[in-house]
């Protein structure tokens, strides 16, 4: 059999095997049935194809659902551009920080069982955090900065972990001694356990007093350890038993087996140095089950997760959370006097700040106002993305959610903006 004929037969088999919908989410008869205009959705398709052609991104999968039906579920470009393997709808992606909402749901499951309360101090589950100090900078007369350590004014809570007001941060090179200490302590070591990671962080200083500042951080990684302690189970096993299995998210885990390796998306060389980003393959297994960014998934799987939110906490007869828990998670949890960390401007239009008309709930950013943000949306929509390029948002007012999957760190912000613009311009009907 020739290689060309084999490729054609393989593609035909895949087209037969894939359902019209996405793992139980039915496909609308036409985009117009759910309020979209087909010719306007073509603008989105054309722009993605143009981006692939111009080497802006290797490829992508787009899933748009409204009123519980798919308006669009299409793939573009390449799953592996170097190998010329085309993108398909069942491609598996490293979702990085889109892991955070899943771990936040895991936490809320334990809240509903009375094993955790959001007001609990983190030290109830990880005692070492009771003694964690706060680094306080002071500028001296000669212009240099010295740092002193002070006790926490009030204890870091589980709610602080979920909304990133814990005082924790992410490691980064530079003059900030706290962020540098994360690198020195190797808090992102993929060979460590969650218990070891949490113990390392508890020994380091906090960047801010808990509850005072929104600083994107390793908070959800620590939250994953809280889930382990409260449940008595490893984080990956708890998520599998309580979330991904009940929701039938069969391709969502911290890694997939070798039999699914060929379905893994790969990045392309990009950035100013034209380098290949260090995105782990979807089959690569690490000891560290990072609650902040360790999972893999597909567009269809993540759509099931969002449909559960859209349904008020249940899907296909399986209830994970109550309606009120969903309401709490998707409301802005940030205090009115919250400050933004000094580096948080890097989030640009996605910054969860009052000046952008946005805040942060329990696991993702939320939109408070119609204006202020340069991106279209609705009050009470919520969203987040991953460092490798994936992105989602759910707009309850429009009864719509969108999942955008790609593996391109360099293009991620640009395409998040484009997705918002091009999806909403195609939404005409009520």
């Amino acid at each position: 059999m020739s290689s060309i004929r084999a490729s054609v037969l393989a593609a035909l088999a895949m087209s037969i095997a894939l359902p019209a919908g996405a793992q139980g989410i039915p496909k609308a008869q036409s985009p117009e049935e759910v309020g979209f205009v087909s010719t306007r959705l073509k603008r989105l398709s054309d722009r993605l194809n143009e981006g692939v052609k111009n080497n802006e991104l290797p490829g992508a999968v787009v899933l748009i659902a409204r009123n519980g039906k798919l308006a669009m579920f299409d793939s573009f470009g390449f799953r592996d551009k170097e190998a010329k393997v085309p993108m398909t709808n069942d491609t598996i992606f490293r979702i990085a920080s889109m892991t955070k909402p899943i771990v936040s749901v895991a936490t809320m499951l334990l809240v509903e069982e009375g094993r955790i309360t959001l007001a609990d101090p983190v030290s109830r589950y990880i005692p070492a955090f009771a003694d964690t100090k706060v680094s306080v900078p002071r500028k001296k007369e000669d212009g240099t900065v010295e740092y002193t350590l002070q006790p926490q004014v009030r204890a870091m809570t589980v709610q602080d972990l979920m909304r990133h007001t814990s005082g924790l941060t992410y490691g980064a090179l530079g003059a900030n001694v706290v962020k540098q200490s994360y690198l020195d302590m190797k808090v992102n070591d993929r060979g460590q356990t969650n218990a070891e990671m949490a113990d390392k962080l508890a020994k380091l200083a906090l960047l801010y007093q808990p509850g005072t500042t929104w600083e994107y951080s390793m908070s959800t990684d620590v939250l994953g350890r809280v889930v382990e302690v409260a449940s008595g189970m490893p984080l990956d096993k708890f998520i599998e038993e309580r979330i991904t299995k009940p929701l039938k998210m069969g391709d969502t885990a911290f890694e997939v087996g070798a039999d699914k390796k060929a379905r893994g998306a790969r990045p392309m060389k990009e950035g100013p140095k034209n380098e290949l980003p260090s995105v782990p393959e979807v089959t690569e297994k690490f000891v560290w089950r990072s609650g902040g960014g360790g999972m893999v998934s597909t567009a269809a799987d993540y759509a099931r997760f969002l449909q559960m939110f859209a349904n008020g906490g249940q899907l296909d007869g399986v209830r994970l959370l109550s309606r009120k828990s969903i309401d709490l998670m998707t409301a802005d949890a940030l205090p009115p006097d919250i400050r933004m960390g000094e580096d948080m401007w890097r989030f640009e239009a996605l910054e969860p700040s009052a000046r952008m008309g946005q805040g942060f709930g329990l696991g993702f950013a939320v939109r408070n106002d119609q204006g202020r943000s340069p991106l279209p949306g609705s009050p009470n929509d919520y969203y987040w993305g991953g460092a490798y390029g994936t992105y989602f948002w759910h707009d309850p007012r429009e009864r719509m959610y969108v999942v955008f999957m790609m593996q391109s760190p360099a293009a991620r912000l640009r395409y998040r903006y484009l997705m918002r613009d091009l999806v909403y311009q195609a939404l005409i009907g009520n």
Side-chain angles (χ1 to χ4, degrees):
M1 183 185 295
S2 70
S3 59
I4 295 176
R5 185 185 175 198
S7 298
V8 170
L9 289 175
L12 178 61
M14 182 165 287
S15 68
I16 294 172
L18 288 175
Q23 294 181 202
I25 301 172
K27 186 174 183 180
Q29 292 185 357
S30 69
E32 282 73 14
E33 180 189 353
V34 289
F36 287 91
V37 176
S38 298
T39 53
R40 284 180 168 264
L41 275 181
K42 187 175 181 298
R43 295 175 181 174
L44 171 57
S45 300
D46 289 346
R47 181 62 183 86
L48 288 169
N49 284 323
E50 177 187 327
V52 171
K53 182 180 178 181
N54 294 338
N55 289 318
E56 295 174 0
L57 75 163
V61 177
V62 176
L63 186 151
I64 305 172
R66 191 164 190 250
N67 296 332
K69 294 183 178 181
L70 297 176
M72 181 179 186
F73 186 22
D74 290 327
S75 49
F76 304 86
F78 299 93
R79 175 190 291 169
D80 186 335
K81 189 164 188 176
E82 185 175 344
K84 303 298 182 187
V85 178
M87 185 69 76
T88 56
N89 286 359
D90 66 342
T91 297
I92 303 170
F93 297 81
R94 282 279 172 188
I95 61 172
S97 286
M98 277 170 57
T99 304
K100 289 179 170 72
I102 297 174
V103 174
S104 298
V105 166
T107 305
M108 294 304 296
L109 291 173
L110 294 168
V111 168
E112 290 196 343
E113 294 173 0
R115 300 199 222 178
I116 294 175
T117 70
L118 298 187
D120 285 339
V122 174
S123 58
R124 178 167 294 174
Y125 307 95
I126 310 170
F129 274 106
D131 299 322
T132 302
K133 300 296 190 292
V134 181
S135 176
V136 179
R138 185 179 72 86
K139 196 168 186 178
K140 296 164 60 175
E141 290 184 4
D142 62 2
T144 61
V145 178
E146 68 174 5
Y147 294 84
T148 59
L149 295 178
Q150 297 181 0
Q152 298 173 50
V153 172
R154 70 124 170 102
M156 177 199 304
T157 66
V158 174
Q159 183 192 39
D160 285 323
L161 294 178
M162 296 184 80
R163 67 186 184 181
H164 293 278
T165 57
S166 63
L168 295 165
T169 185
Y170 273 121
L173 291 169
N176 189 302
V177 296
V178 176
K179 294 189 177 189
Q180 179 62 47
S181 72
Y182 278 45
L183 302 181
D184 297 339
M185 190 66 86
K186 298 181 180 178
V187 296
N188 290 307
D189 181 0
R190 288 170 171 165
Q192 69 190 345
T193 64
N194 275 324
E196 291 167 338
M197 174 272 305
D199 285 343
K200 287 179 182 179
L201 287 173
K203 293 174 183 175
L204 302 176
L206 299 177
L207 187 58
Y208 301 105
Q209 285 286 352
T212 66
T213 307
W214 190 83
E215 172 81 12
Y216 197 50
S217 68
M218 293 187 69
S219 289
T220 317
D221 290 297
V222 175
L223 189 67
R225 178 56 185 161
V226 171
V227 169
E228 291 185 336
V229 174
S231 68
M233 296 173 62
L235 180 62
D236 57 336
K237 297 302 181 186
F238 185 85
I239 288 174
E240 180 183 7
E241 290 189 15
R242 299 295 303 276
I243 300 175
T244 57
K245 273 190 175 179
L247 292 183
K248 299 178 181 176
M249 297 166 63
D251 292 321
T252 304
F254 285 86
E255 73 281 323
V256 293
D259 58 319
K260 297 181 179 181
K261 182 175 182 178
R263 289 168 53 200
R266 299 301 301 150
M268 67 180 189
K269 291 181 179 179
E270 62 182 20
K273 296 183 179 179
N274 194 33
E275 295 177 322
L276 195 67
S278 56
V279 180
E281 291 201 18
V282 296
T283 53
E284 201 166 348
K285 184 173 182 178
F286 305 110
V287 173
W288 185 31
R289 301 327 217 172
S290 168
M295 297 187 76
V296 306
S297 190
T298 62
D301 268 13
Y302 216 87
R304 289 188 63 80
F305 182 67
L306 295 177
Q307 189 65 54
M308 179 272 294
F309 272 85
N311 293 346
Q314 64 87 28
L315 180 65
D316 294 342
V318 174
R319 178 163 292 282
L320 260 64
L321 294 172
S322 73
R323 174 176 55 84
K324 295 303 291 183
S325 290
I326 296 293
D327 289 347
L328 181 62
M329 292 185 74
T330 57
D332 184 9
L334 296 183
D337 59 347
I338 199 75
R339 300 190 301 266
M340 290 287 113
E342 61 181 23
D343 296 330
M344 297 302 99
W345 57 268
R346 298 178 188 276
F347 284 91
E348 298 181 7
L350 302 178
E351 180 185 86
S353 63
R355 68 190 182 91
M356 283 293 181
Q358 297 167 161
F360 208 86
L362 303 180
F364 28 66
V366 298
R367 186 185 186 108
N368 296 321
D369 301 316
Q370 180 65 21
R372 299 192 192 177
S373 171
L375 306 178
S378 303
N380 304 120
D381 79 32
Y382 50 95
Y383 62 89
W384 207 239
Y388 300 141
T390 58
Y391 178 60
F392 80 88
W393 81 91
H394 177 209
D395 185 336
R397 179 171 294 191
E398 293 292 348
R399 307 175 305 283
M400 176 187 76
Y401 55 82
V402 179
V403 182
F404 177 67
M405 297 290 210
M406 70 171 179
Q407 305 281 236
S408 176
R412 66 183 188 271
L413 274 180
R414 174 66 173 157
Y415 274 85
R416 287 168 193 175
Y417 301 168
L418 286 169
M419 285 300 299
R420 285 266 185 171
D421 288 339
L422 291 169
V423 168
Y424 281 109
Q425 63 84 29
L427 179 59
I428 304 299
N430 294 322

